[in-house]
Amino acid sequence: RLSPPRRYAVSLCLVGLIESVMTLQAVDEITDSLPSSLRSNQECVAQGVANALCGVLGAMGGDAMIGQSTINVMNGARGRLSGAVAAVAMLCFILALSPVIELVPVGTLTGVLFVVVLNTFHWPSFRALRSAPRADALVLVQVTLLAVATNLAVGVIAGVATLAACDAWRRGGE
């Protein structure tokens, strides 16, 4: 059994990987690009190496930011320059402008995050619930509720387990 710090580390690792792959899928969908498993694998390996290095150096790890990536692409970004500019700007904010950022009310940041969520959520998925197979509809609702109540890793793991059980049930009746 994992100790609480290790459990949190594994959970954060899974959430980071899931969010990074979801970000790639969202950007591919917005840009009408074909999904690439090679890019997904490269992203996951690069993120793992970077987060391992962060752990060794005592820094905080990270993942692809779905909100920033989606907003960038929706506003015309098509290359890696937009992400690099955002990273450099964030570094400048942290190093030079942190006293100014501390003056921004938390409510303002909450509003910005709320708008990002509204813009990145795939709203037509609610309409798809009526026509989707029951197992898929159940998993969509289950993952959403568990991700909100606990975290994304728990939601996705439970969703995969539920789909596997539903598939086994369906195949058993054939």
Side-chain angles (χ1 to χ4, degrees), residues 115-171:
V115 169
V116 168
V117 167
L118 289 175
N119 286 329
T120 56
F121 188 79
H122 192 255
W123 295 103
S125 59
F126 284 125
R127 285 192 299 261
L129 285 176
R130 292 186 191 136
S131 60
R134 286 186 181 175
D136 293 347
L138 169 71
V139 169
L140 181 67
V141 171
Q142 175 190 31
V143 169
T144 302
L145 292 176
L146 284 174
V148 170
T150 58
N151 64 49
L152 184 61
V154 171
V156 169
I157 290 169
V160 168
T162 301
L163 272 182
C166 289
D167 187 53
W169 182 271
R170 183 183 56 80
R171 289 175 190 252

Side-chain angles (χ1 to χ4, degrees), residues 31-119:
T31 60
D32 290 327
S33 303
L34 292 174
S36 169
S37 59
L38 175 65
R39 283 189 314 179
S40 294
N41 291 342
Q42 286 177 333
E43 175 70 29
C44 292
V45 170
Q47 179 181 318
V49 170
N51 284 339
L53 187 61
C54 284
V56 170
L57 298 175
M60 190 170 121
D63 61 18
M65 297 191 309
I66 192 165
Q68 177 199 350
S69 300
T70 305
I71 297 298
N72 280 352
V73 171
M74 290 172 70
N75 287 301
R78 291 294 181 261
R80 297 184 184 272
L81 182 61
S82 62
V85 169
V88 170
M90 182 68 73
L91 182 64
C92 290
F93 286 147
I94 291 169
L95 295 178
L97 299 174
S98 58
V100 175
I101 293 174
E102 290 174 359
L103 299 175
V104 176
V106 173
T108 304
L109 299 176
T110 304
V112 169
L113 288 174
F114 190 70
V115 169
V116 168
V117 167
L118 289 175
N119 286 329

